[in-house]
Amino acid sequence: MVERDGHTVTAKLLGANDEADFESAVRILLEGGLVAIPTETVYGLGADASNPEAVARVFAAKGRPANHPLIVHVADLERARMLSSDWSASAEVLGRTFWPGPLSILTPKSEVVPLDVTGGRATVVIRVPRHPATLRLLTELHAAGSCGLAAPSANRFGEVSPTTARHVMTDLGGKIDAILDGGACEVGLESTIVDCSADPADILRPGAITRHNVASTLAEHGIGVTSRTHAERSQDTNAIAPGMLRSHYAPSTRLEVFETDVLLLAARQSHESAGRSVEVVPRPPDDFEYSRSLYAMLRECDARRADVMLAVLPADEGLGTAIRDRLLRASADR
Ligand code: TXA
Ligand code: MG
């Protein structure tokens, strides 16, 4: 619980479009507090990346091990370059093309980024998010001397990411100072992470900026991207980096996933005839809608406390790759 004047309180809910609320979010962050922020992907748990005490609070609130590095959010490309000691051609091209947007870039860090933000690593992951209130917030933080906003997804470590302010309140309401409510997230899945320190560039986490988007953009500039698909990478246990943990984004009810509706139906019948209660995660007609609503649906199904939840995997292409990735992790053995 957050303590103020000896009392425990829950997070203040601030409106992103309310001027006084917005200024209050900026003030809390500059004083070293924790504010959950809206982005187009998922809500982030924000702290001033230049303030080590604020960063330490993020790890405590999330229950996250201190060697897990945090993404740093900045207002624009120029700010991103300042955080890097070796801004590669691939980083420049991807940043120029996809920012603000659901793409994060891994690059060698400059001395501007404190080591506690990166969990002791020599690299940093940077993103310019596409939410007007958060972009404005970032501009104000930079103007006050901050290098950016360290913000992992605003959920407890290993659990499903939040896509509304209410999700954040449920998960972390007693542990943070405020939530800036900017509405439901448009994309609904965490950003694509590209390692731009590698040559060829490497996609570490699939997201709404697809492999095709990244590869074709880089190809226009004569830059390569690794040929290894996400499915191949996932088979390789040595490739598991922090946050690429196999069991991640997990609801508390056991989740089983299937390639087709027919297979799901067969499993449903067999569970029900064995007396087990079943929740089927609804599958929207297109992958944009599936991505946007997936985490909210997982939370709703989870709250019904069935014995098992069942979901269908989309095809491994385009946005489907990212949805599959999250569903497979959510269903992995813990
Ligand atoms: O869409 C997103 O990226 C959201 C929103 C809030 O921006 N953020 C997000 O943060 O998903 P988080 O911390 O939940 O996931 C970031 C992932 C983690 O798996 C972390 O381990 C990895 O990126 N990461 C961050 N910095 C890294 C680094 N220097 N080296 C390797 N992995 C890194
Ligand atoms: Mg996360």
mmCIF file of all heavy atoms in Angstrom, residues 42 62 64 152-162 190 205 243 248-249, ligand 2:
data_model
loop_
_atom_site.group_PDB
_atom_site.id
_atom_site.type_symbol
_atom_site.label_atom_id
_atom_site.label_comp_id
_atom_site.label_asym_id
_atom_site.label_seq_id
_atom_site.Cartn_x
_atom_site.Cartn_y
_atom_site.Cartn_z
ATOM 1 N N VAL A 42 -0.440 -1.134 -24.231
ATOM 2 C CA VAL A 42 -1.022 -1.490 -22.931
ATOM 3 C C VAL A 42 -0.688 -0.343 -21.971
ATOM 4 O O VAL A 42 0.130 0.513 -22.309
ATOM 5 C CB VAL A 42 -0.439 -2.825 -22.394
ATOM 6 C CG1 VAL A 42 -0.716 -3.976 -23.356
ATOM 7 C CG2 VAL A 42 1.058 -2.729 -22.109
ATOM 8 N N LYS A 62 5.613 -3.882 -8.857
ATOM 9 C CA LYS A 62 5.312 -4.972 -9.794
ATOM 10 C C LYS A 62 5.639 -6.344 -9.231
ATOM 11 O O LYS A 62 5.189 -7.356 -9.749
ATOM 12 C CB LYS A 62 6.121 -4.805 -11.097
ATOM 13 C CG LYS A 62 5.505 -3.849 -12.077
ATOM 14 C CD LYS A 62 6.011 -4.094 -13.491
ATOM 15 C CE LYS A 62 5.718 -5.471 -14.047
ATOM 16 N NZ LYS A 62 5.154 -5.549 -15.373
ATOM 17 N N ARG A 64 8.676 -7.370 -9.379
ATOM 18 C CA ARG A 64 9.550 -7.794 -10.470
ATOM 19 C C ARG A 64 10.993 -7.903 -9.986
ATOM 20 O O ARG A 64 11.479 -7.024 -9.286
ATOM 21 C CB ARG A 64 9.466 -6.738 -11.574
ATOM 22 C CG ARG A 64 10.050 -7.168 -12.885
ATOM 23 C CD ARG A 64 9.948 -6.023 -13.882
ATOM 24 N NE ARG A 64 9.618 -6.534 -15.196
ATOM 25 C CZ ARG A 64 9.703 -5.830 -16.313
ATOM 26 N NH1 ARG A 64 10.067 -4.580 -16.285
ATOM 27 N NH2 ARG A 64 9.400 -6.374 -17.459
ATOM 28 N N PRO A 152 7.314 -0.315 -17.419
ATOM 29 C CA PRO A 152 6.935 -1.666 -17.829
ATOM 30 C C PRO A 152 5.406 -1.732 -17.867
ATOM 31 O O PRO A 152 4.744 -0.797 -17.408
ATOM 32 C CB PRO A 152 7.473 -2.533 -16.695
ATOM 33 C CG PRO A 152 7.409 -1.653 -15.487
ATOM 34 C CD PRO A 152 7.655 -0.248 -15.986
ATOM 35 N N SER A 153 4.844 -2.785 -18.413
ATOM 36 C CA SER A 153 3.386 -2.937 -18.385
ATOM 37 C C SER A 153 2.919 -2.895 -16.930
ATOM 38 O O SER A 153 3.587 -3.415 -16.037
ATOM 39 C CB SER A 153 2.985 -4.236 -19.068
ATOM 40 O OG SER A 153 3.683 -5.334 -18.505
ATOM 41 N N ALA A 154 1.744 -2.251 -16.701
ATOM 42 C CA ALA A 154 1.300 -1.952 -15.330
ATOM 43 C C ALA A 154 0.508 -3.097 -14.694
ATOM 44 O O ALA A 154 -0.601 -2.923 -14.209
ATOM 45 C CB ALA A 154 0.482 -0.662 -15.331
ATOM 46 N N ASN A 155 1.108 -4.288 -14.712
ATOM 47 C CA ASN A 155 0.497 -5.463 -14.082
ATOM 48 C C ASN A 155 1.495 -6.046 -13.095
ATOM 49 O O ASN A 155 2.676 -5.702 -13.140
ATOM 50 C CB ASN A 155 0.190 -6.509 -15.165
ATOM 51 C CG ASN A 155 1.412 -6.797 -16.028
ATOM 52 O OD1 ASN A 155 1.738 -6.008 -16.908
ATOM 53 N ND2 ASN A 155 2.109 -7.867 -15.733
ATOM 54 N N ARG A 156 1.036 -6.966 -12.238
ATOM 55 C CA ARG A 156 1.970 -7.695 -11.398
ATOM 56 C C ARG A 156 2.821 -8.585 -12.300
ATOM 57 O O ARG A 156 2.351 -9.073 -13.330
ATOM 58 C CB ARG A 156 1.206 -8.566 -10.380
ATOM 59 C CG ARG A 156 0.343 -7.766 -9.429
ATOM 60 C CD ARG A 156 1.098 -7.220 -8.228
ATOM 61 N NE ARG A 156 1.745 -8.273 -7.458
ATOM 62 C CZ ARG A 156 2.734 -8.063 -6.590
ATOM 63 N NH1 ARG A 156 3.204 -6.834 -6.408
ATOM 64 N NH2 ARG A 156 3.252 -9.062 -5.921
ATOM 65 N N PHE A 157 4.073 -8.808 -11.918
ATOM 66 C CA PHE A 157 5.027 -9.570 -12.715
ATOM 67 C C PHE A 157 4.448 -10.926 -13.153
ATOM 68 O O PHE A 157 3.938 -11.674 -12.335
ATOM 69 C CB PHE A 157 6.301 -9.797 -11.892
ATOM 70 C CG PHE A 157 7.366 -10.561 -12.614
ATOM 71 C CD1 PHE A 157 7.971 -10.034 -13.741
ATOM 72 C CD2 PHE A 157 7.764 -11.808 -12.167
ATOM 73 C CE1 PHE A 157 8.964 -10.735 -14.408
ATOM 74 C CE2 PHE A 157 8.757 -12.520 -12.831
ATOM 75 C CZ PHE A 157 9.352 -11.981 -13.956
ATOM 76 N N GLY A 158 4.528 -11.199 -14.458
ATOM 77 C CA GLY A 158 4.101 -12.500 -14.978
ATOM 78 C C GLY A 158 2.617 -12.602 -15.287
ATOM 79 O O GLY A 158 2.163 -13.600 -15.834
ATOM 80 N N GLU A 159 1.828 -11.579 -14.926
ATOM 81 C CA GLU A 159 0.382 -11.659 -15.160
ATOM 82 C C GLU A 159 -0.029 -10.901 -16.420
ATOM 83 O O GLU A 159 0.798 -10.338 -17.118
ATOM 84 C CB GLU A 159 -0.357 -11.196 -13.900
ATOM 85 C CG GLU A 159 -0.089 -12.181 -12.763
ATOM 86 C CD GLU A 159 -0.670 -11.773 -11.417
ATOM 87 O OE1 GLU A 159 -1.443 -10.804 -11.371
ATOM 88 O OE2 GLU A 159 -0.334 -12.444 -10.429
ATOM 89 N N VAL A 160 -1.334 -10.922 -16.714
ATOM 90 C CA VAL A 160 -1.847 -10.332 -17.957
ATOM 91 C C VAL A 160 -1.724 -8.802 -17.930
ATOM 92 O O VAL A 160 -2.086 -8.163 -16.944
ATOM 93 C CB VAL A 160 -3.325 -10.747 -18.146
ATOM 94 C CG1 VAL A 160 -3.914 -10.108 -19.392
ATOM 95 C CG2 VAL A 160 -3.452 -12.263 -18.197
ATOM 96 N N SER A 161 -1.254 -8.205 -19.024
ATOM 97 C CA SER A 161 -1.094 -6.748 -19.087
ATOM 98 C C SER A 161 -2.449 -6.042 -19.090
ATOM 99 O O SER A 161 -3.436 -6.572 -19.599
ATOM 100 C CB SER A 161 -0.334 -6.355 -20.355
ATOM 101 O OG SER A 161 0.979 -6.842 -20.332
ATOM 102 N N PRO A 162 -2.506 -4.804 -18.530
ATOM 103 C CA PRO A 162 -3.758 -4.046 -18.465
ATOM 104 C C PRO A 162 -4.012 -3.228 -19.727
ATOM 105 O O PRO A 162 -3.099 -2.588 -20.237
ATOM 106 C CB PRO A 162 -3.524 -3.118 -17.276
ATOM 107 C CG PRO A 162 -2.045 -2.913 -17.246
ATOM 108 C CD PRO A 162 -1.391 -4.115 -17.859
ATOM 109 N N GLU A 190 1.502 -5.755 -26.203
ATOM 110 C CA GLU A 190 2.753 -5.037 -26.009
ATOM 111 C C GLU A 190 3.469 -4.819 -27.345
ATOM 112 O O GLU A 190 3.325 -5.590 -28.286
ATOM 113 C CB GLU A 190 3.676 -5.825 -25.073
ATOM 114 C CG GLU A 190 3.104 -6.093 -23.691
ATOM 115 C CD GLU A 190 2.164 -7.286 -23.666
ATOM 116 O OE1 GLU A 190 1.898 -7.876 -24.734
ATOM 117 O OE2 GLU A 190 1.679 -7.627 -22.574
ATOM 118 N N ARG A 205 10.480 -9.556 -29.711
ATOM 119 C CA ARG A 205 9.095 -9.793 -29.274
ATOM 120 C C ARG A 205 8.171 -9.349 -30.400
ATOM 121 O O ARG A 205 8.259 -8.213 -30.850
ATOM 122 C CB ARG A 205 8.799 -8.994 -27.993
ATOM 123 C CG ARG A 205 7.370 -9.168 -27.475
ATOM 124 C CD ARG A 205 7.150 -8.508 -26.107
ATOM 125 N NE ARG A 205 7.104 -7.055 -26.191
ATOM 126 C CZ ARG A 205 6.952 -6.253 -25.138
ATOM 127 N NH1 ARG A 205 6.871 -6.766 -23.916
ATOM 128 N NH2 ARG A 205 6.911 -4.943 -25.299
ATOM 129 N N GLY A 243 11.920 -11.541 -19.726
ATOM 130 C CA GLY A 243 10.668 -11.072 -20.301
ATOM 131 C C GLY A 243 10.254 -11.881 -21.512
ATOM 132 O O GLY A 243 9.164 -11.750 -22.025
ATOM 133 N N HIS A 248 4.254 -16.384 -19.220
ATOM 134 C CA HIS A 248 4.182 -14.949 -19.046
ATOM 135 C C HIS A 248 2.777 -14.565 -19.433
ATOM 136 O O HIS A 248 2.084 -15.332 -20.080
ATOM 137 C CB HIS A 248 5.198 -14.295 -19.994
ATOM 138 C CG HIS A 248 5.826 -13.061 -19.416
ATOM 139 N ND1 HIS A 248 6.948 -13.113 -18.657
ATOM 140 C CD2 HIS A 248 5.480 -11.765 -19.474
ATOM 141 C CE1 HIS A 248 7.282 -11.875 -18.293
ATOM 142 N NE2 HIS A 248 6.399 -11.037 -18.774
ATOM 143 N N TYR A 249 2.343 -13.373 -19.090
ATOM 144 C CA TYR A 249 1.014 -12.908 -19.492
ATOM 145 C C TYR A 249 -0.051 -13.922 -19.062
ATOM 146 O O TYR A 249 -0.982 -14.206 -19.812
ATOM 147 C CB TYR A 249 0.942 -12.725 -21.023
ATOM 148 C CG TYR A 249 2.135 -12.024 -21.616
ATOM 149 C CD1 TYR A 249 3.119 -12.716 -22.290
ATOM 150 C CD2 TYR A 249 2.270 -10.640 -21.481
ATOM 151 C CE1 TYR A 249 4.220 -12.064 -22.825
ATOM 152 C CE2 TYR A 249 3.372 -9.981 -22.008
ATOM 153 C CZ TYR A 249 4.335 -10.703 -22.676
ATOM 154 O OH TYR A 249 5.416 -10.064 -23.202
HETATM 155 MG MG MG B 2 5.091 -6.819 -19.171
#
